[in-house]
Each structure stands twice: as structure tokens, then as C-alpha cells.
Amino acid sequence: MILYGHWRSLAAMRVRIALALKGLAYEERSIDILGGGQFAPGFLALNPQAAVPALEAGDGPPLFQSLAILEWLEETHPAPPLLPKDARGRARVRALALISAADSHPLLVPRVRDRLARQFGAGEAAITAWSVHWMATGLRATEAHLARDAVPGPWSHGGAPTLADLFLYSLYAGYEQRGGSLDGMPNIARVVAACEADPCFTAAHPLRQPGAPRR
Amino acid sequence: MILYGHWRSLAAMRVRIALALKGLAYEERSIDILGGGQFAPGFLALNPQAAVPALEAGDGPPLFQSLAILEWLEETHPAPPLLPKDARGRARVRALALISAADSHPLLVPRVRDRLARQFGAGEAAITAWSVHWMATGLRATEAHLARDAVPGPWSHGGAPTLADLFLYSLYAGYEQRGGSLDGMPNIARVVAACEADPCFTAAHPLRQPGAPRR
């Protein structure tokens, strides 16, 4: 399999974690999403949406959209499972994942940062404040669900990682890089600690990829 | 089942379409998302994320996040199917749906419009321009995928509606309400025509719900 990603992409990070958890070999190719490489004709032929990640696997055009890729990995390589067996548990895990996938992360990708600068004249500090606001909003919503449901941990949905944790950890990675704090979010802190004890999660971190700045 | 929604919510609209296609009875209760009703303690107990839709069905807290609700409906009420049988087809349909679910619609919900006004002083015209920009971007990305793949229609993925069409039609509904045009998007226009010929889709339209302004 070939993963088209970028060191900074939180969406590529989630796919990396799943590939590692399932023990699947792949090669990663970097698309320069900060320099417009996603709009090059060669990449548009792979993913006309002009976004990473995309996953080349078998025949047909590459899979795209991180959650769709993860569901496909789950269906085609079911061990270890990243979704619970019961329909209600699967709905909970998917909904928790979607707090990050839909309502948080898409608000801070390059195309949105560019638009904020172009339409509202937003500078770097304003864009960072915007990004931190949406990551904090998503994390607080997730915390509120984890606190209410009180499902035993250490992961979001019990004793093993699920898609909810992949999305949560990738959102946290962006938040932490921008100086965000988990004060008042003990359940998120518990899940993040579980992620940080698992090399499948930590090895996928943006700052550990080729091309990333050294911290 | 009880659907917590709002006439204007494009996410509630998608759930309405699926419930109709699957022939499931439900009662809809309106949460005043334009007046902050999603932050009332009574609703936060139902969905701590403070967003509609939420679907009360059987035991346990309501399901939330439209795509998670739709996957649950698909698993628990599989007829008629809204996902293809093959894993690659399912990945394609989910990815097309996520162009709307993740990268388009979350950029124009009330919490984002409020933030644009608060952080950047955006007025109504600027917010409309922002919203139309993201809906057009999502529709153009979808058009590019439909054009490249050339899967026979009339729907996005063949001769029967799938989740991709529910998301596409809800995004189009918001776009059309704000005066957006489908010029240069013949594949989207073809799918929209299929949606508009199906009463399960048209009856779910925002402007046909109780509380909506008359056009």
C-alpha cells in the first residue's frame, strides 16, 4: 500500500496509527500540502479533492478521506478490531470520532487558513487562536461525552483502542503543538496517556515524520 | 424513535431522508439551534456536544453525529441498503459523503458563523460568501470525483441512492438556498435531479419542515 500524506497532516496521522495497529506494511509519499502540492495535476488524478491522505491499495483509484479509509481497513483487515462488535457501541465510537473528523479538524486545514487570511485578513496569531478555539471546542465536547458515559478506560471505549482514540489523539497532537492545555479534561488526559504509552500512536506523531521540524 | 432536529439543520435533513427511505416511523422535536437551545441543560444531557441531530432509539443515550446515526440505521435496519455491498464501493460512498460531512457543512454551522462574527467582525454578507465558498468547494470536489470515476447513475454510485446522495443533496439544499449555481457541475445536477424526483428526499427539505419560512 502507498499512503499519500504529509508530516503535518493530522488526517494522515490517523491512517498511520491504524496501519501500525493492524500490522500492515506501507510506503508513505509526502505531498507538499503547505506549498500547494495537492493541486498538482499528478496528485489531482489520484484524489480530485486535492487533499491528503489518500491510500493506494489494490486496483482502482486511491481511497480518500481518512474515516472512509479507516472503515475500509477495518472491513478488509479486521484484526485487531478498531470498532466494537455491538451496533450501539460502534455508533458511539463513530460519533466520538466525528467530533474531531467533522466538527474540529476540517476548520484548521490549509485551505481554511488560506481563506481566513484572504477573506478576513487574518494573520498568523489570529489563525492560531481560531485553530486552538476549534480544537478546544472539540476536545471539551469529547470530554463531556466521556464524563457522562463513564465507560471504563483507559481508552475512550474500554480496554482496547478504537477509531475514537485515533481521532482524539490526532486532534490532541495539533492542540498540544499550538500550546493548548488539557486542564479540566481528565478523561481526555486519561485517553491521551494510553495513546502515549503505545508506540503505534507515538510513531505516527507529526513531529516524528520525515520533513518535520525538530522540537 | 425521536429525532432531535431543527428545520434548518442540513444534518437533521440527512437523517430524515434515511428514516423515510427505510420506512421507519419517528417523531421530530425541534431544538432552537438559532437561539441557543442546543446549550440548554435539558438538551446537553441528551447530547453533551450541543448539536443536532440526535436520535433517541431504544435504551441508552441518544445517538449523535449524523454519519454515525446513518451507519447505525444501516446496521440495524439494512433494507433498503444505503451502502454498497463491496468494501471498495463502501469506501467510495463514505468518502463522497465525507466531502460534505467533514470538509463542507461543518464550516457553516451556527457556532462557526457566530465565531466569524465575534473574531473577525464578519457581517451577514461576508458570512454568506464564506458559506457559499465552502459549499461550492465541496460540490466541485464531488463533481471532480464523479466525473473521473464515471460510475453510471443516476445516483452517485449507481442505480439506487446511497449515503453519498443524502449528504450531497443536503449540501446542495444549503447551497441553493443561498443562490448557488450548478453551472459546470453536470454530474451533481444529475444526482440532484434524481433526489428531487424522490419524495423521501424532497419531504426532508429544510423549507418543508414546521417552523421554516415560506418561500
Side-chain angles (χ1 to χ4, degrees):
Chain A
M1 287 190 268
I2 299 168
L3 175 63
Y4 297 90
H6 183 270
W7 69 263
R8 183 168 158 144
S9 167
L10 302 178
M13 176 186 173
R14 315 192 257 268
V15 177
R16 258 181 236 126
I17 299 171
L19 289 165
L21 287 168
K22 291 179 180 289
L24 299 170
Y26 68 100
E27 172 199 336
E28 181 161 345
R29 293 190 191 161
S30 181
I31 302 301
D32 178 19
I33 57 169
L34 302 178
Q38 68 273 45
F39 301 106
F43 185 71
L44 285 180
L46 297 174
N47 181 8
Q49 200 198 348
V52 297
L55 185 70
E56 214 164 270
D59 293 334
L63 308 169
F64 67 110
Q65 283 285 345
S66 66
L67 181 54
I69 293 172
L70 294 167
E71 295 266 7
W72 179 86
L73 283 171
E74 186 68 7
E75 292 182 357
T76 55
H77 300 82
L82 297 176
L83 283 171
K85 285 192 182 157
D86 61 307
R88 186 164 282 271
R90 294 160 75 88
R92 178 173 183 264
V93 164
R94 287 181 173 125
L96 290 174
L98 282 159
I99 293 176
S100 297
D103 292 339
S104 310
H105 180 230
L107 289 152
L108 38 121
V109 294
R111 75 182 90 89
V112 175
R113 301 198 299 269
D114 290 349
R115 181 76 191 176
L116 289 171
R118 198 169 301 187
Q119 187 176 350
F120 299 108
E124 203 178 312
I127 291 173
T128 298
W130 165 275
S131 300
V132 170
H133 172 79
W134 293 117
M135 292 189 286
T137 301
L139 290 169
R140 278 196 300 262
T142 305
E143 172 70 26
H145 270 279
L146 295 177
R148 182 196 64 181
D149 297 347
V151 173
W155 303 91
S156 301
H157 197 77
T162 63
L163 294 187
D165 304 299
L166 276 61
F167 279 85
L168 181 54
Y169 187 57
S170 68
L171 189 64
Y172 168 75
Y175 184 66
E176 191 254 342
Q177 271 181 275
R178 290 171 182 84
S181 153
L182 290 185
D183 282 357
M185 299 191 238
N187 287 284
I188 303 277
R190 175 201 86 202
V191 174
V192 166
C195 297
E196 295 199 327
D198 184 331
C200 293
F201 283 72
T202 53
H205 194 283
L207 293 180
R208 297 207 181 169
Q209 307 314 308
R214 299 200 172 193
R215 34 175 168 188
Chain B
M1 289 189 267
I2 299 169
L3 174 64
Y4 296 91
H6 183 270
W7 70 263
R8 183 168 158 143
S9 168
L10 302 178
M13 177 187 173
R14 316 190 256 269
V15 177
R16 257 181 238 127
I17 300 170
L19 289 165
L21 286 167
K22 290 178 180 291
L24 299 169
Y26 67 101
E27 171 199 338
E28 182 162 342
R29 294 190 190 160
S30 181
I31 302 300
D32 178 19
I33 57 170
L34 302 178
Q38 68 273 46
F39 301 107
F43 185 71
L44 285 179
L46 297 175
N47 180 7
Q49 199 198 348
V52 297
L55 185 70
E56 215 164 87
D59 294 334
L63 309 168
F64 67 110
Q65 284 285 345
S66 67
L67 181 55
I69 293 171
L70 294 168
E71 294 268 6
W72 179 86
L73 282 171
E74 187 67 7
E75 292 181 356
T76 56
H77 301 82
L82 297 177
L83 283 171
K85 284 191 181 156
D86 60 307
R88 187 164 281 270
R90 294 159 74 88
R92 178 174 185 264
V93 164
R94 286 180 173 126
L96 290 174
L98 282 158
I99 294 177
S100 297
D103 292 339
S104 310
H105 180 229
L107 290 151
L108 38 120
V109 295
R111 75 182 91 88
V112 175
R113 299 199 301 267
D114 290 349
R115 181 77 189 177
L116 289 171
R118 199 169 301 188
Q119 188 177 349
F120 299 109
E124 203 178 313
I127 291 173
T128 297
W130 165 274
S131 300
V132 170
H133 173 79
W134 293 116
M135 293 188 286
T137 301
L139 290 169
R140 279 195 300 261
T142 305
E143 173 69 27
H145 271 278
L146 296 178
R148 182 196 64 181
D149 297 347
V151 173
W155 302 91
S156 302
H157 195 78
T162 64
L163 294 187
D165 304 300
L166 276 60
F167 280 86
L168 180 54
Y169 187 57
S170 68
L171 189 64
Y172 168 74
Y175 184 65
E176 190 255 340
Q177 272 182 275
R178 291 170 182 85
S181 153
L182 290 184
D183 283 358
M185 298 191 241
N187 288 283
I188 304 277
R190 174 201 86 203
V191 175
V192 165
C195 297
E196 295 199 325
D198 184 331
C200 293
F201 283 71
T202 52
H205 195 283
L207 293 180
R208 296 208 182 169
Q209 307 313 308
R214 300 201 172 192
R215 38 174 166 187

